[in-house]
Amino acid sequence: MQNCVTNGEGWYWLVDDSSGSFLLKLSEDVVFPTVYKASELINSFQDEQCFTTSDAFLYSLFRDKFSAVAMDEQQAFTLAVNATVANHYLKPQAIKSWFFSVAQHKETKIIRQGDWVALNAKEQAIYLVLDTDQHASNVILVSERHVIDDSRLYIRGKALRVHNDRLTPVSHQLQDYQL
């Protein structure tokens, strides 16, 4: 049995039957769309599923992390919800390293969960490491967009898995132009 967060009406996960979009129901009148489709999730959500205490804990960690960068409240909320979905409910992903250049940093730095990293394709963009092992990491796009090539564009909230040798640690404070 999952422990549901109850704050008045409570928050619930659900799937929009017509579009297949994964949604977070905040109240009877407010439904927030995530960037994910039901087909991308490990669980099938036939009915409303409660926003669990585990979801709330993770969401709070992400909100704290995103409050330290130049984002407005709506952007931080959106990214924290999408990061929670990516961390708890997204199916395992195939590694997409071929889209990105090998990192050119000289020092070897161990990549850890919660690190800010840059990925280079046609442009550079900032990602947050959701989880990692010694070979690859699951990351979520924090920059507004990332142009990968002439036909591929990722938007904020896109989660993917890449080899760690593609990740460049970002050790300085993130700037507005990076987001």
Side-chain angles (χ1 to χ4, degrees), residues 63-77:
R63 275 307 293 257
D64 289 346
K65 185 78 174 174
F66 300 136
S67 69
V69 297
M71 284 185 185
D72 65 32
E73 284 295 313
Q74 179 65 32
Q75 292 169 328
F77 171 80

Side-chain angles (χ1 to χ4, degrees), residues 69-71 126 143-144 156 173-179:
V69 297
M71 284 185 185
I126 303 299
S143 298
E144 183 177 352
R156 181 178 283 147
Q173 182 67 23
L174 296 179
Q175 304 299 313
D176 290 351
Y177 72 89
Q178 294 175 299
L179 303 172

Side-chain angles (χ1 to χ4, degrees), residues 20 30 67 94 108 147 170 178:
V30 180
S67 69
T108 302
V147 177
V170 176
Q178 294 175 299

Side-chain angles (χ1 to χ4, degrees), residues 11 24 26 32 59 63 73-81:
W11 291 3
L24 179 60
L26 303 172
F32 175 80
Y59 165 79
R63 275 307 293 257
E73 284 295 313
Q74 179 65 32
Q75 292 169 328
F77 171 80
T78 300
L79 197 51
V81 169

Side-chain angles (χ1 to χ4, degrees), residues 81-153:
V81 169
N82 285 316
T84 301
V85 173
N87 205 326
H88 273 177
Y89 301 108
L90 208 56
K91 288 179 182 174
Q93 298 189 29
I95 293 176
K96 303 283 187 193
S97 294
W98 62 86
F99 292 140
F100 306 102
S101 304
V102 174
Q104 297 299 315
H105 52 88
K106 292 182 176 127
E107 76 278 354
T108 302
K109 182 176 187 277
I110 296 173
I111 302 297
R112 291 182 174 29
Q113 182 179 23
D115 284 353
W116 301 111
V117 294
L119 281 169
N120 289 299
K122 187 170 185 175
E123 295 178 350
Q124 183 181 75
I126 303 299
Y127 288 76
L128 176 70
V129 177
L130 298 175
D131 60 59
T132 188
D133 60 38
Q134 77 182 87
H135 301 291
S137 296
N138 291 322
V139 297
I140 190 167
L141 179 59
V142 176
S143 298
E144 183 177 352
R145 63 190 203 119
H146 192 183
V147 177
I148 305 302
D149 56 33
D150 291 337
S151 63
R152 195 175 328 272
L153 171 74

